[in-house]
Amino acid sequence: MIQCEVVAVHDGDGPIHCRGGLSIRIAGIQAPDFESAPPCRKHKSGYVCDNGKAAAARDIVWRLTYRTTLNCEWLDVSYARTVARCTLPDGRDLRCTAIALGAADHWPEFEQRYRLAPCPTRQR
């Protein structure tokens, strides 16, 4: 188990930067990001390239996580970041909460790869 004291959030799906230097990408979600504009990236909902949406997604995850300690389970490494399943201090799944709040979408390919359980229909 990894404990991540959150000191910064870059995008709605990460990296989330932990005290001590670890960077975590939230497994199984896709959020708008700042790197996609321009050029825009193809996503299941169209082309993602709106910095306003990226900022909104990042801000939601920042409000959930900043200056808290996440409990995370290591799953993989991607682009020098730890891919992990994380739980908020109150026990909620960070992936499902980010989806429920509109910060990110399910990413079925990676939900299957990491064998992530379906999110409850209501988790806020």
Side-chain angles (χ1 to χ4, degrees):
M1 189 63 67
I2 301 165
Q3 288 200 318
C4 170
E5 184 182 339
V6 180
V7 296
V9 176
H10 182 74
D11 281 327
D13 52 15
I16 293 173
H17 300 286
C18 310
R19 184 169 310 287
L22 183 67
S23 293
I24 294 177
R25 191 200 189 287
I26 305 166
I29 63 172
Q30 177 66 36
D33 60 45
F34 295 104
E35 290 83 19
S36 61
C40 300
R41 264 191 312 168
K42 182 80 171 139
H43 185 262
K44 70 177 183 175
S45 60
Y47 283 93
V48 179
C49 58
D50 183 335
N51 278 342
K53 288 181 182 178
R58 180 211 46 226
D59 291 350
I60 289 168
V61 174
W62 181 84
R63 283 192 301 276
L64 288 168
T65 63
Y66 184 64
R67 292 189 176 171
T68 68
T69 299
L70 303 174
N71 288 308
C72 300
E73 176 188 356
W74 182 94
L75 299 172
D76 201 355
V77 175
S78 175
Y79 298 102
R81 296 172 295 181
T82 295
V83 178
R85 173 184 11 228
C86 296
T87 327
L88 294 162
D90 63 8
R92 292 178 294 163
D93 180 280
L94 178 55
R95 172 181 65 98
C96 294
T97 304
I99 292 167
L101 294 175
D105 292 323
H106 293 274
W107 200 347
E109 173 188 344
F110 290 97
E111 287 177 333
Q112 291 171 3
R113 177 185 291 182
Y114 300 128
R115 295 183 173 96
L116 301 172
C119 293
T121 54
R122 307 255 323 145
Q123 181 166 346
R124 292 193 184 240

